[in-house]
Amino acid sequence: MIARLGKEHVKEVARLHRANLTGLLSRLGLPAIRAFYAGAVKTSLGVGFVYIEGNLVRGFVLGSIHPSSLKHEALQKNPFDTLAGMCLGILRRPSTLIFLLKSFRGPDEGAYDRDAPELTYIAVSGEKRGVGIGAELVNAFTNEMRNSGIGAYELSVDDDNGAAISFYEGLGFVLSGRYREFGMSHRRYRLDIGSRNS
């Protein structure tokens, strides 16, 4: 069952994020991830859904029409926990501080529009991959974006994640660029969805 991402899902979503996703937030660790999602669900900028089976969150998706603003507002809505989580992450992995500072300037190589509507995070628990949960989450996100009048959105994929690349290309996403950030190469994809108003 697909449901809107809410505060009651934050712990399980953070666990799924940590277990399945790469990037700066994952490098910072579980306290920072939990703090981010706790802040994100308090904003009106996040577009998020969870897939629930039984009473367990088996997958989630989060993005925004204004992804840069979502990240800033999530911090403002949960400043103490976010800063504490970031500090813990940096203490555990000091090299993360370099990545955090670099994140303010953008990619090391290449570029993408950081203000374009974006599906920022999606994850499905390992034992439930390949049964359609990811596609259902992407469809729910796409419908919400379309209903908001958005005609297209973007997402990033690690360049070495062949399964994710095949998944997104199978759903109609088109490669729009490449960039390098946090020591990893990424592909940028775009999905043209039309809008309810077009």
Side-chain angles (χ1 to χ4, degrees):
M1 170 182 88
I2 298 281
R4 288 211 177 263
L5 173 62
K7 64 182 179 181
E8 67 275 18
H9 306 123
V10 166
K11 267 189 188 174
E12 288 185 79
V13 164
R15 180 186 52 77
L16 277 172
H17 183 120
R18 179 71 175 110
N20 296 285
L21 300 176
T22 62
L24 177 60
L25 194 53
S26 291
R27 286 182 65 89
L28 285 167
L30 202 51
I33 297 168
R34 242 190 328 260
F36 169 75
Y37 285 104
V41 298
K42 292 178 182 176
T43 78
S44 61
L45 296 174
V47 176
F49 296 95
V50 291
Y51 186 94
I52 300 172
E53 185 179 77
N55 288 323
L56 298 174
V57 174
R58 299 297 192 170
F60 76 91
V61 63
L62 177 70
S64 180
I65 295 170
H66 306 287
S68 295
S69 298
L70 170 63
K71 292 169 186 167
H72 290 112
E73 197 166 308
L75 170 67
Q76 291 173 346
K77 296 285 185 180
N78 196 18
F80 177 77
D81 288 344
T82 301
L83 292 174
M86 288 169 55
C87 289
L88 278 172
I90 291 166
L91 285 172
R92 288 184 187 140
R93 294 176 80 177
S95 64
T96 302
L97 178 59
I98 294 167
F99 288 110
L100 183 62
L101 295 173
K102 284 182 174 182
S103 73
F104 294 108
R105 73 164 200 241
D108 300 326
E109 297 171 19
Y112 65 91
D113 183 356
R114 294 171 70 164
D115 294 318
E118 177 184 75
L119 187 161
T120 309
Y121 299 118
I122 183 171
V124 175
S125 58
E127 70 278 6
K128 291 294 180 178
R129 287 193 194 133
V131 298
I133 293 173
E136 284 191 50
L137 288 165
V138 170
N139 287 338
F141 183 84
T142 299
N143 288 335
E144 186 72 14
M145 297 298 266
R146 185 181 292 118
N147 290 339
S148 297
I150 300 304
Y153 67 88
E154 299 181 3
L155 57 80
S156 294
V157 181
D158 293 349
D159 205 30
D160 63 357
N161 190 341
I165 290 166
S166 295
F167 171 73
Y168 292 120
E169 289 179 354
L171 292 175
F173 286 82
V174 176
L175 182 66
S176 60
R178 294 176 189 262
Y179 66 98
R180 187 167 177 79
E181 188 173 46
F182 308 129
M184 295 182 69
S185 295
H186 306 278
R187 295 178 185 206
R188 192 73 174 175
Y189 281 91
R190 176 183 172 92
L191 181 66
D192 290 311
I193 58 175
S195 70
R196 192 175 60 168
N197 301 329
S198 56

